[in-house]
Amino acid sequence: MTKAFALEKNPAGPLPASPILEHSLLLSFVEGDEDLLRGICGLFLGHYPALLSKIRDAIARADADGLARAAHTLKGSGGYFLCASALRALVDLELIAHGGDLNNAPERFAELESELERLKPELLILSGRSGTAQSLQE
């Protein structure tokens, strides 16, 4: 039987009508270990803001090498949590950085930031930081 997270309403607001993440798929990646998934989500939530800041700073300084490193690191650390549009934005930022012309980087960064903001409520729930109860149903 497939296991899936039972998501309750987030006290900060309603959950998105269509979740971005496939919770049962994420759970399958950790062989059904809800605690492990919660921990991995928590680690990502704790680290991605600093990486976003590094990307933003690299763009502001026109530091192509710094942008490429930070975008690549975020892409790798995001693993299965990043939706396709966030991954595309990160790949584009890496390509922009490797090309050396950062003129389009602010626009792609804004899209990345927006996608991560859409993703954050689900990550908070999966990490157990949202204040909602979560359980596995069979």
Side-chain angles (χ1 to χ4, degrees):
M1 208 177 266
T2 304
K3 293 183 177 184
F5 275 93
L7 302 178
E8 295 181 10
K9 290 195 177 215
N10 184 337
L15 288 173
S18 25
I20 298 167
L21 297 172
E22 289 188 44
H23 303 138
S24 60
L25 180 63
L26 289 172
L27 196 57
S28 75
F29 293 141
V30 293
E31 298 178 0
D33 189 334
E34 184 179 357
D35 290 333
L36 179 58
L37 181 58
R38 188 175 293 122
I40 293 169
C41 286
L43 286 172
F44 181 67
L45 280 166
H47 287 94
Y48 92 82
L51 291 169
L52 275 181
S53 182
K54 286 181 180 184
I55 292 171
R56 182 184 303 107
D57 292 347
I59 292 169
R61 291 188 324 270
D63 176 4
D65 290 337
L67 173 58
R69 269 191 313 278
H72 184 78
T73 302
L74 181 54
K75 186 176 70 175
S77 70
Y80 300 112
F81 300 121
L82 296 176
C83 57
S85 53
L87 281 172
R88 268 193 307 277
L90 284 165
V91 168
D92 288 350
L93 285 168
E94 280 188 276
L95 292 172
I96 288 168
H98 291 303
D101 179 3
L102 304 187
N103 287 329
N104 294 325
E107 178 182 328
R108 295 307 287 150
F109 176 74
E111 292 170 20
L112 171 64
E113 202 169 32
S114 174
E115 288 302 310
L116 287 172
E117 279 302 310
R118 284 184 345 112
L119 183 62
K120 189 176 180 179
E122 287 186 62
L123 289 172
L124 286 168
I125 289 168
L126 288 174
S127 72
R129 295 183 185 179
S130 69
T132 61
Q134 43 187 299
S135 63
L136 293 178
Q137 293 183 342
E138 296 201 347

